[in-house]
Amino acid sequence: MKKINFAVAGLGRIGKIHLENLLRMEGVDVVATMDPLEECQQYARDKGIANTAGTFEEMLGIAEIDAVLICSPTDTHADFVELSAKAGKHIFCEKPLDLDLDRVLEVLKVVKDTDVKLMLGFNRRFDKEFRKVRDLVKNDAVGQPHLVKITSRDPGAPPVSYIEKSGGLFLDMTIHDFDMARFVVDKEVEEVYAKGAVLIDPAIGAVGDIDTAVVTLTYTDGSMAMIDNSREASYGYDQRVEVFGSKGMVQSNNNFHDSHKLYNKQGIHAALPLHFFLERYEEAYKTEMGDFVKGLQNGTMMPVDGDDGLQSLKIGLAAIKSLKENRPVKISEIG
Amino acid sequence: MKKINFAVAGLGRIGKIHLENLLRMEGVDVVATMDPLEECQQYARDKGIANTAGTFEEMLGIAEIDAVLICSPTDTHADFVELSAKAGKHIFCEKPLDLDLDRVLEVLKVVKDTDVKLMLGFNRRFDKEFRKVRDLVKNDAVGQPHLVKITSRDPGAPPVSYIEKSGGLFLDMTIHDFDMARFVVDKEVEEVYAKGAVLIDPAIGAVGDIDTAVVTLTYTDGSMAMIDNSREASYGYDQRVEVFGSKGMVQSNNNFHDSHKLYNKQGIHAALPLHFFLERYEEAYKTEMGDFVKGLQNGTMMPVDGDDGLQSLKIGLAAIKSLKENRPVKISEIG
Amino acid sequence: MKKINFAVAGLGRIGKIHLENLLRMEGVDVVATMDPLEECQQYARDKGIANTAGTFEEMLGIAEIDAVLICSPTDTHADFVELSAKAGKHIFCEKPLDLDLDRVLEVLKVVKDTDVKLMLGFNRRFDKEFRKVRDLVKNDAVGQPHLVKITSRDPGAPPVSYIEKSGGLFLDMTIHDFDMARFVVDKEVEEVYAKGAVLIDPAIGAVGDIDTAVVTLTYTDGSMAMIDNSREASYGYDQRVEVFGSKGMVQSNNNFHDSHKLYNKQGIHAALPLHFFLERYEEAYKTEMGDFVKGLQNGTMMPVDGDDGLQSLKIGLAAIKSLKENRPVKISEIG
Amino acid sequence: MKKINFAVAGLGRIGKIHLENLLRMEGVDVVATMDPLEECQQYARDKGIANTAGTFEEMLGIAEIDAVLICSPTDTHADFVELSAKAGKHIFCEKPLDLDLDRVLEVLKVVKDTDVKLMLGFNRRFDKEFRKVRDLVKNDAVGQPHLVKITSRDPGAPPVSYIEKSGGLFLDMTIHDFDMARFVVDKEVEEVYAKGAVLIDPAIGAVGDIDTAVVTLTYTDGSMAMIDNSREASYGYDQRVEVFGSKGMVQSNNNFHDSHKLYNKQGIHAALPLHFFLERYEEAYKTEMGDFVKGLQNGTMMPVDGDDGLQSLKIGLAAIKSLKENRPVKISEIG
């Protein structure tokens, strides 16, 4: 089989994870990286990467590249996707494509007009826990789904400086849960009601965001989903899904450090959940990249495509509007 | 200690449970019962009850009665409570006092104008699981509560003929969860958003009710609660509560038939939840009645009083309005 | 149906439990009790018992007695069973019949020569957890049983003065597990190897007993059971059974105060097991007495008979011999 | 830091795992492999290994080798360890060194007379579950250990042809549990009592082995351990440890495919344990090799040394003798 040549743009935390996973895969060559920071370029050189560019354009100029990973800051995503598509490179882009709906539509049009494949980085779809839930739902283990419950709580809030530019809780954090709500039952959302509060850190409120939220989604068939979010769960990363249907219910749980139970006079004690997404989704990132590579090799459909990014963005924008106006908002009101 | 003389009005399923629990208690005499059905009167005679009246008035005429249990149909509650209060009898009344807010206010005024004590039958407050959650919250084990999650699903819908007169899902079923939402964190609710659907049985829709619901409550301090309801959980009665706060989270689980785990080629298998409220809350009913008796013996405050009934009714009425108008409704809009 | 008239001999902790359970049963009259202590006689009078004798002979003289419960100290069991059998009374006797094998054989012969029924108080057989295990094994859920594992640990050792006369760990405590080993798989034991140590309290060693033990049983078909005992589990009463077979495994767990889980920075915390046998086996005691009553009413076989007591005693005596001689001992070597 | 040059002898299942783990490590170069099979040599060439020898001697002749991994069949271990030690190479050897005690003592003497380090491949010591148990015991979380319980059951028996040469259940399978018994409480074993049976496959009995076993170990301080083994657990690989002590108990559980729980009319269903050792100990193998490399880099003690292999072998030989003679056997009787 012909090897696929990859370039990785952006060598932050997540870019490095993808790069290292690619390096361990069969049928793959990483021929280039891009990062403006010298230390990241050095990191890539140490990994044996031949071309370690400082700008995206420089990187894109390398002829043998088949596919590009875009792991650079959010505000570069749209431009880089467009450039890559126009250059005929397949694209894996970290979510979100952009925080602006019109810009996303524009970019998706560019991609559609080329032959390149685009995959969005909704990593949780590749987690074995959520996959099992989806598979059981798909295989009719719970019958018709009536209720979906998603718990998603971070172990700690990011710096306010980050939050300020993040698009807010719904576009930065809940967007994963919006995608999950569509993923586990394979249904589209019609209406959103979002309620939020600043209960953890007033500084988050000071920049116009919230840190705690409850969202009700109504699917087009009238069934419903509930999401609860917190920026700070003292006990660690909390990622659970429950689907209740006409024939049963399926739940997935957090992943924990280990399975030990300690019994003593004070009670029974067990280990905490894995700290945060890097630990919890370590395997999911591998599966995600593997599925992207397989999709390219076999010419099959991408497991998460541009439309998935678009739908989650719309739900997020509806949630923002709902929170502001304290009323349910139809997806059809957006865009 | 002087024995307290009880009369039990209404010997349906729940009346019998209370009667039998009273019969096993120290410091208590059941001197009378009331039920129009001959077979219920026979049942009471077999239990050794001296006076087995056919009407409430007849029963109330028995001089030595100190306290009355009202377990008769909902539409008799208000009248019987008024009659009992005016006769100077202490009252335990099954929920709800009435489905009409004005009538409830009227009745509570009558009670207030007498010296009698009134306790409402929110049995779940006496369940050891929920008590443990409340105790841990009270003792600051989770810090400031941010989110409350209540799951409440019945194993099967009652007959449509019952549903028709029940006041609807929110006043018949969710009202327990509204009380639970106030109970576990000891806070008042300010706003309600309710979403519902008919996903189980169109006949329920045909009489104007829903069978599946998701409710968001906002407390006066901005923290939030989520409730999900279904009239039919295929796997049995599902009663769980979770409170998430600044310092931790506490969850209670269903009670199960037993603790066995069977491992075989197909997976690991465990027992189902106890079938329904009679099984799950068997102990809670005993504790409830015991606490009522203790309250009378010691002259202390009732653990669930008329105001608790009033608040849950208001939340229920707000939920009905919210569902109808598809918008969040303030409690202050009610009554 | 004719009521069965009971007499209860011995109103210690366990005698009171049986008495109160009998008082709540249909078809039963408790017409007499026996206890030398005045306070116990007063207790019985308060419960409305007509005859509150001070000696067993006095009690046995009451003509209308159909059945006798023997809950008096162990060293009275054999004599009281004999007297009751000769008087034509059915018998429920707390375990053990006697610590001496010859005396037990003698007593069983006396019982056999009469028409009376004899049930032994192996209360754990009536616990829903162990019943479920036995039922699943019986229904072939685990296939051919290969291994049985029984954990049985008390929350604290009894006074040394009690231990001294108890017959030792194997006859006082493990005897329940020997019965369990026979019960869950319905097989007989052929050989015993017991290993023990004094790890908790040297005072227990000083009176010639052990406080910690591990026992291997071999069934007649070559399959095996393991028992582990401790007189002091800091976290409370530990009662678990596991049966592993050709098609699967079934486990039962302890019963806990409640199901709560508390998540905080330190970990996940859950409630302890119920403290001791009175709490854990509260329901089992009711079922046990109910099954005795049903056996008498229907004239069916007793669920635990004299032979069950005999077999457990033999295993216990073999365990004592094994510990002393540090070698496996065949049951056939006993008696 | 100077890179350490490795050679891997034997490219079967486990040799490949170690090789691939080494290839991903920093500070490591794999400069040679040895396997008589051409396809294994090709496998190594595909991985970029420079020298792919067909005999151990040929491989050992490569001057730059610092350390050797011995993953070849058991009957080559002793010779290869001796050759490597004499050649001044550090050694990682899969368990066991040899099935013959005298040969093991001989080999260990040769190793001792050189300066090379020797680590034995008891992979379970590197599993996070068992490490947690050991750490908690070490940190006094359970106080003085009184009882250790080890469950170790394989999902299926190996071919009889393998069993025949394996040294039997105790040296092939239980030997891991003997090591675990020493590891989790850091104590030495004084006496062994083993009971076994052929309950799964008569063909195993026909070659003189057993397929089901129960072993009681007594530590030098009088505390005890119990091990139960089966060659065939229908539900998959079962690897659990429990340590009970004066202050508490700690348990570790199996690892499962995922955490899902499916509730339906039939019960609650969960995922099976990971299939077998390759899946369960995937991470442990990485940690093991990482610790070996670290030990070499830092010149620290090996986490599992020759004496650990020796002690487990002695316990295994005592178990064989105990089974044969049906009596407890002292370790001091061996060798």
Side-chain angles (χ1 to χ4, degrees):
Chain A
M1 196 181 349
K2 185 191 156 290
K3 286 212 171 183
I4 301 174
N5 292 323
F6 279 84
V8 179
L11 291 174
R13 217 159 37 166
I14 200 69
K16 282 175 180 156
I17 286 172
H18 289 318
L19 173 59
E20 297 193 15
N21 285 330
L22 280 175
L23 290 175
R24 287 172 192 175
M25 259 171 232
E26 311 278 333
V28 163
D29 261 344
V30 182
V31 297
T33 62
M34 182 289 287
D35 200 288
L37 293 179
E38 165 53 27
E39 68 192 65
C40 290
Q41 294 171 21
Q42 184 58 47
Y43 165 87
R45 277 191 295 270
D46 289 347
K47 294 283 172 191
I49 310 299
N51 306 285
T52 57
T55 70
F56 194 77
E57 290 72 10
E58 184 191 340
M59 186 192 81
L60 212 55
I62 297 162
E64 68 262 39
I65 293 173
D66 299 309
V68 171
L69 266 60
I70 300 172
C71 312
S72 46
T74 294
D75 56 11
T76 67
H77 288 184
D79 292 347
F80 288 178
V81 169
E82 265 187 356
L83 287 170
S84 305
K86 285 175 180 166
K89 315 295 189 193
H90 300 299
I91 306 155
F92 174 94
C93 183
E94 279 302 320
K95 62 102 213 166
L97 272 176
D98 199 89
L99 300 176
D100 181 78
L101 183 61
D102 290 335
R103 184 72 183 111
V104 167
L105 291 167
E106 213 170 73
V107 170
L108 289 182
K109 194 171 174 320
V110 170
V111 173
K112 214 191 152 190
D113 290 347
T114 68
D115 261 355
V116 306
K117 287 172 182 282
L118 168 65
M119 174 163 158
L120 264 288
F122 280 116
N123 58 300
R124 293 186 199 170
R125 289 191 176 213
F126 303 90
D127 176 66
K128 71 182 187 325
E129 305 294 347
F130 303 133
R131 288 218 157 173
K132 185 71 187 181
V133 171
R134 176 183 161 100
D135 287 351
L136 284 166
V137 170
K138 219 170 188 170
N139 295 330
D140 200 32
V142 303
Q144 289 300 316
H146 293 175
L147 294 167
V148 174
K149 291 171 70 177
I150 299 172
T151 292
S152 180
R153 302 169 188 157
D154 284 355
V160 171
S161 58
Y162 169 90
I163 286 179
E164 240 179 321
K165 296 177 205 157
S166 70
L169 186 87
F170 293 135
L171 293 188
D172 180 51
M173 184 173 162
T174 327
I175 199 158
H176 280 288
D177 307 311
F178 297 144
D179 185 61
M180 187 58 61
R182 296 176 64 246
F183 175 68
V184 284
V185 291
D186 209 7
K187 295 187 194 178
E188 293 300 336
V189 170
E190 186 175 278
E191 192 191 85
V192 183
Y193 177 71
K195 197 79 197 174
V198 181
L199 301 174
I200 295 161
D201 185 357
I204 293 174
V207 298
D209 202 2
I210 52 173
D211 52 33
T212 307
V214 162
V215 183
T216 303
L217 305 178
T218 309
Y219 294 102
T220 51
D221 67 355
S223 63
M224 294 159 280
M226 308 162 80
I227 299 167
D228 73 273
N229 288 151
S230 171
R231 282 284 194 187
E232 188 175 301
S234 59
Y235 52 88
Y237 200 38
D238 196 347
Q239 300 276 294
R240 288 173 282 150
V241 167
E242 175 176 322
V243 179
F244 170 82
S246 55
K247 285 166 51 178
M249 166 174 71
V250 58
Q251 301 173 315
S252 72
N253 202 350
N254 290 305
N255 292 353
F256 300 92
H257 286 290
D258 56 62
S259 74
H260 92 271
K261 284 196 182 179
L262 175 67
Y263 287 59
N264 60 22
K265 269 192 201 315
Q266 281 69 49
I268 304 175
H269 316 280
L272 286 174
L274 295 179
H275 178 60
F276 208 176
F277 65 98
L278 294 179
E279 292 84 7
R280 163 68 189 255
Y281 295 119
E282 188 184 338
E283 281 302 311
Y285 284 121
K286 286 182 200 168
T287 309
E288 179 182 55
M289 203 41 58
D291 282 9
F292 178 52
V293 169
K294 261 183 263 170
L296 296 183
Q297 286 171 339
N298 306 333
T300 50
M301 270 181 54
M302 288 290 115
V304 202
D305 63 17
D307 186 57
D308 291 313
L310 179 64
Q311 296 308 324
S312 293
L313 177 63
K314 282 184 170 180
I315 302 173
L317 294 170
I320 291 170
K321 196 177 179 69
S322 172
L323 179 71
K324 211 171 168 183
E325 304 179 6
N326 195 24
R327 65 169 183 92
V329 171
K330 301 271 181 215
I331 299 300
S332 58
E333 296 182 46
I334 304 302
Chain B
M1 196 182 350
K2 184 190 156 294
K3 285 212 172 183
I4 301 174
N5 292 323
F6 278 83
V8 179
L11 291 175
R13 219 160 35 168
I14 199 69
K16 282 175 181 156
I17 285 173
H18 289 318
L19 173 59
E20 297 191 17
N21 284 331
L22 280 175
L23 289 176
R24 286 172 193 176
M25 259 171 232
E26 311 279 332
V28 163
D29 260 344
V30 182
V31 298
T33 61
M34 182 289 286
D35 200 288
L37 293 180
E38 166 53 27
E39 68 192 66
C40 290
Q41 293 171 22
Q42 186 57 49
Y43 165 87
R45 278 192 295 270
D46 289 347
K47 294 282 172 192
I49 310 299
N51 306 285
T52 56
T55 69
F56 194 77
E57 290 72 11
E58 183 190 340
M59 186 191 81
L60 212 55
I62 297 162
E64 67 262 38
I65 293 173
D66 299 310
V68 171
L69 264 61
I70 300 172
C71 313
S72 46
T74 294
D75 56 12
T76 66
H77 289 184
D79 292 347
F80 288 179
V81 169
E82 266 188 356
L83 288 169
S84 304
K86 286 176 180 164
K89 313 297 189 194
H90 299 299
I91 305 155
F92 174 94
C93 183
E94 279 303 320
K95 63 100 212 166
L97 272 175
D98 199 88
L99 300 177
D100 181 80
L101 184 60
D102 291 335
R103 184 72 183 111
V104 167
L105 290 168
E106 212 169 75
V107 170
L108 290 183
K109 196 176 172 314
V110 170
V111 173
K112 214 192 151 189
D113 290 347
T114 68
D115 261 354
V116 306
K117 286 173 183 281
L118 168 65
M119 174 162 158
L120 264 287
F122 280 116
N123 59 300
R124 292 186 200 170
R125 289 191 176 215
F126 304 90
D127 176 65
K128 71 181 186 328
E129 305 293 347
F130 302 133
R131 288 220 156 172
K132 185 71 189 179
V133 171
R134 176 183 161 101
D135 287 352
L136 284 166
V137 170
K138 220 171 188 168
N139 295 330
D140 199 32
V142 303
Q144 289 299 316
H146 293 174
L147 294 167
V148 174
K149 291 171 71 176
I150 299 172
T151 292
S152 180
R153 301 168 189 159
D154 284 355
V160 171
S161 57
Y162 169 91
I163 286 179
E164 239 178 321
K165 297 179 204 155
S166 70
L169 187 88
F170 292 135
L171 294 188
D172 181 50
M173 184 172 161
T174 327
I175 199 158
H176 280 289
D177 307 310
F178 296 144
D179 185 61
M180 187 58 61
R182 296 177 64 245
F183 174 68
V184 284
V185 292
D186 210 6
K187 296 188 194 177
E188 294 300 336
V189 169
E190 185 174 278
E191 192 190 85
V192 182
Y193 176 71
K195 196 80 198 173
V198 181
L199 301 175
I200 296 161
D201 185 358
I204 293 173
V207 298
D209 202 2
I210 52 172
D211 53 33
T212 308
V214 162
V215 183
T216 304
L217 304 177
T218 309
Y219 295 102
T220 51
D221 68 354
S223 62
M224 294 159 281
M226 308 161 80
I227 299 167
D228 73 273
N229 288 150
S230 171
R231 283 285 194 186
E232 189 175 300
S234 59
Y235 51 87
Y237 199 38
D238 196 347
Q239 301 275 295
R240 288 173 284 150
V241 167
E242 174 176 321
V243 180
F244 170 83
S246 56
K247 285 166 51 178
M249 166 175 71
V250 59
Q251 300 173 317
S252 71
N253 202 349
N254 290 304
N255 292 352
F256 300 92
H257 285 289
D258 57 63
S259 75
H260 92 270
K261 283 196 184 180
L262 175 66
Y263 287 60
N264 61 23
K265 270 193 202 313
Q266 281 69 49
I268 304 175
H269 316 280
L272 286 173
L274 294 179
H275 179 59
F276 208 175
F277 65 97
L278 293 179
E279 292 84 7
R280 163 69 191 255
Y281 295 119
E282 189 184 336
E283 282 302 312
Y285 284 121
K286 287 182 199 166
T287 310
E288 179 183 56
M289 203 41 58
D291 283 8
F292 179 52
V293 170
K294 262 182 264 170
L296 296 183
Q297 286 170 339
N298 306 333
T300 49
M301 270 180 54
M302 287 290 115
V304 202
D305 63 16
D307 186 59
D308 291 314
L310 180 63
Q311 296 309 324
S312 293
L313 177 63
K314 282 184 172 181
I315 302 173
L317 294 169
I320 291 170
K321 196 178 180 69
S322 171
L323 180 71
K324 212 171 168 183
E325 304 179 6
N326 195 24
R327 66 170 183 92
V329 171
K330 300 268 182 218
I331 299 300
S332 58
E333 296 183 47
I334 304 301
Chain C
M1 197 180 353
K2 186 192 156 291
K3 287 212 171 182
I4 300 174
N5 292 323
F6 278 84
V8 179
L11 291 175
R13 219 161 33 168
I14 199 69
K16 282 174 180 156
I17 286 172
H18 289 318
L19 173 59
E20 297 192 17
N21 284 332
L22 280 174
L23 289 174
R24 285 170 193 176
M25 259 170 234
E26 311 278 332
V28 163
D29 261 346
V30 183
V31 296
T33 61
M34 183 290 287
D35 201 288
L37 293 179
E38 166 51 29
E39 69 194 66
C40 289
Q41 294 171 21
Q42 186 56 49
Y43 165 87
R45 280 191 295 271
D46 290 347
K47 293 284 172 190
I49 309 300
N51 306 284
T52 57
T55 69
F56 193 77
E57 289 73 11
E58 183 190 340
M59 185 191 84
L60 212 56
I62 297 162
E64 67 262 38
I65 294 173
D66 298 309
V68 171
L69 264 60
I70 299 173
C71 312
S72 45
T74 294
D75 56 12
T76 66
H77 288 185
D79 292 347
F80 288 179
V81 169
E82 266 187 356
L83 288 169
S84 305
K86 286 176 180 166
K89 315 296 190 192
H90 299 299
I91 305 155
F92 174 95
C93 182
E94 278 302 321
K95 62 99 214 167
L97 272 176
D98 200 88
L99 301 176
D100 181 79
L101 183 62
D102 290 335
R103 184 74 182 111
V104 167
L105 290 168
E106 212 171 76
V107 170
L108 290 183
K109 193 171 175 319
V110 170
V111 173
K112 215 191 151 190
D113 290 347
T114 69
D115 260 355
V116 306
K117 285 172 184 282
L118 168 65
M119 174 163 158
L120 264 287
F122 280 115
N123 58 301
R124 294 186 198 168
R125 288 192 176 213
F126 304 90
D127 177 64
K128 70 181 185 332
E129 305 293 347
F130 302 132
R131 288 220 157 174
K132 186 70 187 180
V133 171
R134 176 183 160 99
D135 287 352
L136 284 166
V137 171
K138 221 171 186 168
N139 296 330
D140 200 34
V142 303
Q144 289 298 317
H146 293 174
L147 294 167
V148 173
K149 291 171 71 177
I150 300 172
T151 293
S152 181
R153 301 169 189 158
D154 285 355
V160 170
S161 58
Y162 169 91
I163 285 180
E164 240 179 320
K165 298 179 205 155
S166 70
L169 186 88
F170 293 135
L171 294 188
D172 181 51
M173 185 173 161
T174 327
I175 199 158
H176 280 289
D177 307 309
F178 296 143
D179 186 60
M180 187 58 62
R182 295 177 64 244
F183 175 68
V184 285
V185 292
D186 210 8
K187 293 188 197 179
E188 295 300 337
V189 170
E190 185 174 277
E191 191 192 83
V192 182
Y193 177 71
K195 196 80 196 174
V198 181
L199 300 174
I200 295 160
D201 185 357
I204 293 174
V207 298
D209 203 2
I210 52 172
D211 53 33
T212 307
V214 162
V215 183
T216 303
L217 304 178
T218 309
Y219 295 102
T220 51
D221 67 354
S223 63
M224 294 159 280
M226 307 162 79
I227 299 167
D228 72 273
N229 288 151
S230 171
R231 283 284 194 188
E232 188 174 301
S234 59
Y235 52 88
Y237 199 39
D238 196 346
Q239 300 276 294
R240 288 172 282 151
V241 167
E242 174 175 323
V243 180
F244 170 82
S246 55
K247 285 166 51 178
M249 166 176 72
V250 58
Q251 301 173 315
S252 72
N253 202 350
N254 290 306
N255 292 353
F256 300 92
H257 285 289
D258 56 62
S259 75
H260 91 271
K261 284 195 185 182
L262 175 66
Y263 287 59
N264 61 22
K265 270 192 203 311
Q266 281 70 49
I268 305 175
H269 316 280
L272 286 174
L274 295 178
H275 178 58
F276 208 175
F277 66 98
L278 294 178
E279 294 84 7
R280 162 70 189 255
Y281 295 119
E282 190 184 337
E283 282 303 311
Y285 284 121
K286 286 182 199 165
T287 309
E288 178 183 57
M289 203 43 57
D291 282 9
F292 179 53
V293 169
K294 260 183 264 169
L296 296 183
Q297 287 170 339
N298 306 333
T300 49
M301 269 180 55
M302 287 291 113
V304 202
D305 62 17
D307 186 58
D308 290 315
L310 179 64
Q311 296 309 325
S312 293
L313 177 62
K314 282 183 172 181
I315 303 173
L317 294 171
I320 291 171
K321 195 177 179 72
S322 172
L323 179 71
K324 212 170 167 183
E325 305 180 4
N326 196 26
R327 65 171 182 92
V329 171
K330 300 270 180 216
I331 299 300
S332 57
E333 296 182 45
I334 304 302
Chain D
M1 195 180 355
K2 185 191 156 293
K3 287 212 172 183
I4 300 174
N5 293 323
F6 278 83
V8 179
L11 291 175
R13 220 162 33 169
I14 200 68
K16 282 174 180 156
I17 286 172
H18 290 317
L19 173 60
E20 296 192 17
N21 285 331
L22 280 175
L23 289 175
R24 286 171 194 174
M25 260 170 230
E26 311 278 333
V28 163
D29 260 344
V30 183
V31 297
T33 62
M34 183 289 286
D35 200 288
L37 293 179
E38 165 52 30
E39 69 192 66
C40 289
Q41 294 171 20
Q42 185 57 47
Y43 165 86
R45 280 191 294 271
D46 289 348
K47 293 286 172 190
I49 309 301
N51 306 284
T52 57
T55 68
F56 194 77
E57 289 73 10
E58 183 191 339
M59 185 192 83
L60 211 56
I62 298 161
E64 66 262 40
I65 293 174
D66 299 309
V68 171
L69 264 62
I70 300 172
C71 312
S72 45
T74 294
D75 56 12
T76 66
H77 288 185
D79 292 346
F80 288 179
V81 170
E82 265 187 358
L83 288 170
S84 305
K86 286 175 180 166
K89 314 297 188 193
H90 299 299
I91 306 156
F92 174 95
C93 183
E94 278 302 321
K95 63 99 213 164
L97 272 177
D98 199 89
L99 301 176
D100 181 79
L101 183 61
D102 290 335
R103 184 73 183 111
V104 167
L105 290 168
E106 213 170 74
V107 170
L108 290 182
K109 191 169 176 321
V110 170
V111 172
K112 214 190 151 189
D113 291 347
T114 68
D115 259 355
V116 305
K117 286 174 183 281
L118 169 65
M119 173 161 158
L120 263 289
F122 280 116
N123 58 301
R124 294 187 198 168
R125 288 192 176 212
F126 304 89
D127 177 65
K128 69 181 188 329
E129 305 293 347
F130 302 132
R131 288 219 158 174
K132 186 69 188 181
V133 171
R134 177 183 159 100
D135 287 352
L136 284 166
V137 170
K138 221 170 185 170
N139 296 330
D140 199 35
V142 302
Q144 289 299 316
H146 292 174
L147 294 167
V148 173
K149 291 171 71 178
I150 299 172
T151 293
S152 180
R153 300 169 189 157
D154 284 355
V160 171
S161 58
Y162 170 90
I163 286 180
E164 239 178 322
K165 297 178 204 155
S166 70
L169 187 88
F170 293 135
L171 294 188
D172 181 51
M173 185 172 160
T174 327
I175 199 158
H176 280 289
D177 308 310
F178 296 143
D179 186 60
M180 187 58 62
R182 295 176 64 244
F183 175 68
V184 285
V185 292
D186 210 7
K187 294 188 197 178
E188 294 300 336
V189 170
E190 186 174 278
E191 192 191 85
V192 182
Y193 178 70
K195 196 79 197 176
V198 180
L199 301 174
I200 295 160
D201 186 356
I204 293 173
V207 298
D209 202 2
I210 52 172
D211 52 33
T212 307
V214 162
V215 183
T216 304
L217 304 178
T218 309
Y219 294 102
T220 51
D221 67 354
S223 62
M224 293 159 282
M226 307 162 79
I227 299 167
D228 72 273
N229 288 150
S230 171
R231 282 283 193 188
E232 188 174 300
S234 59
Y235 52 88
Y237 200 39
D238 196 345
Q239 300 276 293
R240 289 173 281 152
V241 167
E242 173 176 323
V243 180
F244 170 82
S246 56
K247 286 166 52 177
M249 167 176 71
V250 58
Q251 301 173 315
S252 72
N253 202 349
N254 290 305
N255 292 353
F256 300 92
H257 285 289
D258 56 63
S259 74
H260 91 269
K261 283 195 184 180
L262 175 66
Y263 287 60
N264 61 22
K265 271 192 202 311
Q266 281 69 48
I268 305 175
H269 315 280
L272 286 174
L274 294 180
H275 178 59
F276 208 175
F277 66 98
L278 293 179
E279 294 83 7
R280 163 69 190 255
Y281 296 118
E282 190 184 336
E283 282 303 311
Y285 285 120
K286 287 182 199 165
T287 309
E288 179 184 55
M289 203 43 56
D291 282 10
F292 178 53
V293 169
K294 261 184 264 169
L296 296 183
Q297 287 170 338
N298 307 332
T300 49
M301 270 180 55
M302 287 291 112
V304 202
D305 62 17
D307 186 58
D308 290 314
L310 178 65
Q311 296 309 324
S312 294
L313 178 62
K314 282 184 173 180
I315 303 173
L317 293 171
I320 291 172
K321 194 178 181 72
S322 171
L323 180 71
K324 212 171 168 182
E325 305 180 4
N326 196 25
R327 66 170 183 92
V329 171
K330 301 268 181 215
I331 299 300
S332 58
E333 296 182 45
I334 304 301

